Amino acid sequence: MSARELIVLGTASQVPTRHRNHNGYLLRWDGEGLLFDPGEGTQRQMLRAGVAAHDIDRICVTHFHGDHSLGLAGVIQRINLDRVPHRVTAHYPAEGRRFFERLRYATAYRETVALAEEPVAGDGGVLARTPGYTLEAARLSHPVESYGYRLVEPDGRRMLPERLAALGIRGPEIGRLQRERVLEHEGRTVAIEEVSEVRRGQRFAFIMDTRLCEGAYALAQGCDLLVIESTFLDEDEALAVEYGHLTAGQAARVAAGAGVRHLVLTHFSQRYGDPADFERQARAAGFEGELTVARDLMTVALPKRR
């Protein structure tokens, strides 16, 4: 299996700092790359992180505030400049189509790439089905139309060596059974269910600017890796509610209730100086899984399969 990992390009909310660029996240999922929320400066952060335009297959924008979308112009032009040979698909809130079009054609350039636009509307739902994942979206609660995204790998099957050995199934027969799901062996029909168990597909979710809402809980459910905003610390919960954001404790409680294995907190307000405060509050809120307070240019691998 190819790499499945998150490359963090930027982690600041609204205002970049000396140490934090505006948002940007690239998810490597086997042979595909999904770029989430390319804020201002994303193209340069890609260069620093070793991410090429050719690595991008989908662009997923949660909403049209500048720290999540002003980098679109540069990224799209770079995709065309580099003549990316494959189709690139852009998902974004349908109500923000005018913003996407303005950013896509912010200046003159030569279009060389088939960039497909597939806006998200209503409550979201399934956006794409590929052999490696289903891409879903759910509506969030923010002052402007906002969606979170989720990838779900189809369930597979894990072969059980002891059951295969007990039936004398070995070598090329195992591959045939995996492909055809039944095997005629020594006078009997063996179904794949007899010698394997369900291998749950991996799940990833990306939740940016939102208050606590049904969509956030649904996206996080059962995720192996959850990337979620925690703009404020808990003592500023009133500000979080007013501006449509989460606190570190709220984000952690969403993750804990959803059974998330690895939680990545990001999108931090510039008002805070110590990133460790976000981890302390997330732990105090009851999250016991693996926890990362994101920093620019770090890489986070998806957890190994259960």
Side-chain angles (χ1 to χ4, degrees), residues 29-100:
W29 188 276
D30 300 344
E32 290 197 33
L34 294 91
L35 178 65
F36 294 90
D37 279 9
E40 185 179 353
T42 290
Q43 186 179 180
R44 188 165 188 276
Q45 292 295 91
M46 287 169 56
L47 179 65
R48 297 178 68 196
V51 174
H54 283 66
D55 295 328
I56 301 171
D57 294 270
R58 294 184 188 273
I59 301 172
C60 300
V61 178
T62 59
H63 66 292
F64 285 102
H65 277 155
D67 52 328
H68 297 261
S69 62
L70 282 177
L72 273 168
V75 169
I76 291 173
Q77 291 189 26
R78 185 59 180 270
I79 288 170
N80 284 272
L81 179 66
D82 290 358
R83 296 177 179 268
V84 170
H86 54 259
R87 170 189 168 106
V88 177
T89 303
H91 305 282
Y92 57 84
E95 289 182 7
R97 184 190 293 272
R98 66 190 186 280
F99 300 122
F100 186 88

Side-chain angles (χ1 to χ4, degrees), residues 47-247:
L47 179 65
R48 297 178 68 196
V51 174
H54 283 66
D55 295 328
I56 301 171
D57 294 270
R58 294 184 188 273
I59 301 172
C60 300
V61 178
T62 59
H63 66 292
F64 285 102
H65 277 155
D67 52 328
H68 297 261
S69 62
L70 282 177
L72 273 168
V75 169
I76 291 173
Q77 291 189 26
R78 185 59 180 270
I79 288 170
N80 284 272
L81 179 66
D82 290 358
R83 296 177 179 268
V84 170
H86 54 259
R87 170 189 168 106
V88 177
T89 303
H91 305 282
Y92 57 84
E95 289 182 7
R97 184 190 293 272
R98 66 190 186 280
F99 300 122
F100 186 88
E101 292 297 321
R102 289 171 186 169
L103 289 164
R104 181 175 180 176
Y105 298 112
T107 66
Y109 66 98
R110 183 178 180 184
E111 289 191 273
T112 64
V113 175
L115 178 65
E117 297 183 29
E118 296 185 4
V120 188
D123 293 328
V126 174
L127 306 181
R129 296 185 190 275
T130 78
Y133 61 83
T134 297
L135 176 64
E136 305 168 349
R139 189 149 190 167
L140 299 174
S141 173
H142 197 52
V144 299
E145 186 183 39
S146 183
Y147 290 91
Y149 296 92
R150 171 181 168 96
L151 273 76
V152 179
E153 178 187 30
D155 290 342
R157 299 203 72 85
R158 181 182 292 108
M159 306 304 286
L160 301 173
E162 66 279 6
R163 295 189 188 176
L164 291 166
L167 293 174
I169 300 173
R170 61 180 63 86
E173 290 182 317
I174 298 175
R176 191 179 317 131
L177 178 57
Q178 289 176 310
R179 291 190 302 273
E180 301 177 7
R181 306 189 68 81
V182 293
L183 176 71
E184 295 298 327
H185 179 75
E186 296 183 353
R188 63 163 290 189
T189 300
V190 179
I192 194 170
E193 289 78 11
E194 298 178 58
V195 292
S196 66
E197 63 184 6
V198 174
R199 183 195 67 197
R200 182 179 178 274
Q202 289 187 310
R203 302 178 185 186
F204 165 89
F206 184 81
I207 300 173
M208 282 294 114
D209 299 16
T210 185
R211 303 176 183 91
L212 289 174
C213 64
E214 183 179 336
Y217 287 106
L219 291 164
Q221 191 61 44
C223 277
D224 297 279
L225 183 65
L226 169 65
V227 180
I228 188 169
E229 70 120 313
S230 57
T231 307
F232 293 99
L233 291 174
D234 291 346
E235 54 266 30
D236 292 317
E237 183 175 340
L239 288 175
V241 173
E242 179 181 356
Y243 292 108
H245 288 290
L246 296 174
T247 69

